[in-house]
Amino acid sequence: CLQYKRKLNQCNERLKRIDIPHDFSRTVKGLDHLQQWKASEHRSWLLYFSLPVLHGILPDPYFTHYSLLVEAMHILLSESISTASLLSAERYLHLFCQNMATLYGDDACTMNSHLLKHLPDCVRNWGPLWAYSCFSFESMNGHLKAHFHGTR
């Protein structure tokens, strides 16, 4: 437990030191506030902050495994995706799912981890994942909520 807290503090310190560009919709709270993160914070963590923060903290096999997911999602959320890139993302997700049980045990092989393998097909059918994500809807809910007060 003490080692976990030490690593969590180390991650939070690294996260604080990242100079976040102004065009990010929100800053990322510390990992100790993960339960309060919005979807856009999870996206920023996955795509931009997690690899520099976790490098050297996660043991190499776990970091390499996690990097497969990050790279695949980076591709699938790109503005424009070539056939070669889509095949790479598909390969990364296949390897990611294939190695789940070895690294984390059979209990980690959930339906959600299996569904990751179908994301490249979604991109083939409907385009990049950002084209039909819910991030913009979550943001709009906050704007709408500000216009309602009381019980009426």
Side-chain angles (χ1 to χ4, degrees):
C1 186
L2 183 61
Q3 185 177 3
Y4 169 78
K5 284 188 182 232
R6 189 175 22 221
K7 287 186 178 196
L8 181 65
N9 289 337
Q10 191 177 3
C11 287
N12 282 332
E13 284 303 314
R14 286 183 179 185
L15 192 55
K16 278 188 220 172
R17 287 194 306 255
I18 293 176
D19 192 17
I20 299 172
H22 296 291
D23 57 340
F24 274 60
S25 61
R26 65 176 66 235
T27 59
V28 176
K29 298 174 193 84
L31 291 173
D32 44 349
H33 299 288
L34 192 63
Q35 301 84 358
Q36 298 155 0
W37 282 14
K38 303 291 185 188
S40 61
E41 291 169 295
H42 285 282
R43 177 187 56 198
S44 294
W45 167 257
L46 177 71
L47 298 178
Y48 306 109
F49 306 133
S50 65
L51 290 181
V53 168
L54 295 173
H55 187 261
I57 294 175
L58 272 183
D60 285 341
Y62 296 92
F63 183 79
T64 302
H65 181 251
Y66 179 70
S67 298
L68 293 168
L69 176 66
V70 172
E71 182 59 27
M73 296 309 295
H74 224 290
I75 292 168
L76 298 176
L77 286 162
S78 296
E79 287 288 320
S80 175
I81 306 169
S82 69
T83 303
S85 293
L86 188 55
L87 289 172
S88 293
E90 195 165 37
R91 187 172 56 252
Y92 298 151
L93 289 174
H94 178 77
L95 287 169
F96 180 81
C97 292
Q98 184 178 10
N99 293 323
M100 287 287 289
T102 304
L103 290 171
Y104 301 103
D106 289 334
D107 289 345
C109 299
T110 64
M111 181 57 113
N112 285 341
S113 62
H114 169 77
L115 290 174
L116 288 171
K117 292 167 67 173
H118 297 285
L119 290 177
D121 289 328
C122 294
V123 170
R124 277 187 195 93
N125 292 329
W126 300 297
L129 296 179
W130 62 264
Y132 44 94
S133 84
C134 294
F135 293 129
S136 59
F137 294 107
E138 180 192 81
S139 177
M140 186 53 73
N141 284 342
H143 295 296
L144 290 174
K145 187 176 175 184
H147 294 287
F148 294 93
H149 304 284
T151 57
R152 294 183 128 191

